[in-house]
Amino acid sequence: MLGVKGDCRGCASFDFVVLCKQDVEEPLKVVRHVLERLGLSLNETKTHRVDAKQASFNFLGFTIQMSQGARTGKPYPNVRPADKSLKKIKARLTELTARNLTAIPLEDVVGRMNRSLRGWANYFHYRNSSQIMGKARQHAEDRLRTHLLKRYKVKNRKAALIRFPRRDLYEQYGLYKVPTVAGWNSAHPSVSRASESRVR
């Protein structure tokens, strides 16, 4: 599978990917023709050709690459949240659980964490996302536990693990549990909306 990641001139932002089995020249001609009819032009400097069997590429926060099934040996499109997307949610959770926030109500801290986690998970909960989702969930647990450690002046992390076990983080403190099994396998409305918003 060959991927052509394009960017066009003449509008605010219009990113797209064209997937081809082999040759990319003919599809590119079609793309250029369609864009010209719309009064747009392909930004050649930002357009990349990628052999997805050999390398990955990022699009709308996802990393896409052809992989081989461990059991069947058949190729399949491996679509997962990009490393940058994981770093962003982890940084956001760290910001929302900072030491200087121990003075505000705990419900507000957890509520803000949950809003960020839900929004992120709803968008990236797709196909081969289990491993990345698991990392996001673990970071959320670690950050809330660290916040509780500081808030209640628990002496160390070992003591915090005993006082604030995983089950209590969810049942007592109300932390949103990030799902780790992909909930949808086809194009999600949120992706379509994201694409549309970038075209306008």
Side-chain angles (χ1 to χ4, degrees):
M1 180 178 73
L2 298 174
V4 180
K5 185 177 180 182
D7 180 273
C8 78
R9 291 171 174 159
C11 55
S13 180
F14 187 2
D15 299 333
F16 58 91
V17 171
V18 178
L19 301 179
C20 320
K21 288 186 177 181
Q22 293 180 341
D23 181 54
V24 299
E25 293 304 327
E26 285 303 316
L28 271 175
K29 288 180 182 179
V30 174
V31 168
R32 291 189 180 97
H33 177 68
V34 171
L35 291 177
E36 286 174 4
R37 293 187 62 180
L38 295 173
L40 306 172
S41 63
L42 192 66
N43 189 335
E44 302 290 350
T45 60
K46 292 186 177 181
T47 298
H48 306 285
R49 305 180 190 188
V50 179
D51 185 345
K53 293 180 180 178
Q54 304 296 327
S56 63
F57 62 92
N58 292 343
F59 184 64
L60 295 179
F62 288 92
T63 294
I64 304 170
Q65 183 176 13
M66 290 300 293
S67 298
Q68 195 172 42
R71 288 183 293 180
T72 65
K74 295 181 179 180
Y76 70 94
N78 187 314
V79 183
R80 61 190 184 276
D83 290 342
K84 186 176 180 180
S85 301
L86 176 61
K87 288 180 181 178
K88 282 186 176 181
I89 187 61
K90 290 174 73 172
R92 179 59 176 160
L93 293 173
T94 299
E95 176 186 345
L96 293 174
T97 53
R99 179 194 293 265
N100 63 343
L101 298 178
T102 55
I104 70 173
L106 181 58
E107 294 79 5
D108 291 347
V109 172
V110 177
R112 292 169 185 173
M113 289 181 69
N114 288 347
R115 284 191 290 274
S116 292
L117 282 169
R118 280 197 180 94
W120 186 87
N122 284 342
Y123 182 80
F124 288 107
H125 190 205
Y126 174 63
R127 292 190 70 94
N128 311 102
S129 63
S130 296
Q131 185 177 11
I132 300 299
M133 288 287 167
K135 290 181 179 180
R137 179 195 285 188
Q138 184 63 55
H139 188 73
E141 293 174 2
D142 291 343
R143 287 308 309 170
L144 179 55
R145 186 177 289 111
T146 298
H147 180 84
L148 292 170
L149 180 152
K150 302 298 182 183
R151 178 179 288 264
Y152 296 114
K153 298 179 173 57
V154 178
K155 60 181 180 179
N156 55 48
R157 293 185 180 277
K158 184 176 180 180
L161 282 169
I162 296 173
R163 181 168 174 179
F164 311 114
R166 174 178 293 173
R167 181 175 179 177
D168 285 0
L169 297 180
Y170 297 105
E171 296 184 1
Q172 181 175 341
Y173 298 104
L175 180 65
Y176 171 70
K177 182 176 285 188
V178 176
T180 56
V181 178
W184 45 284
N185 292 302
S186 58
H188 193 271
S190 60
V191 175
S192 300
R193 287 194 295 271
S195 301
E196 291 169 3
S197 66
R198 299 181 73 167
V199 171
R200 295 192 186 106

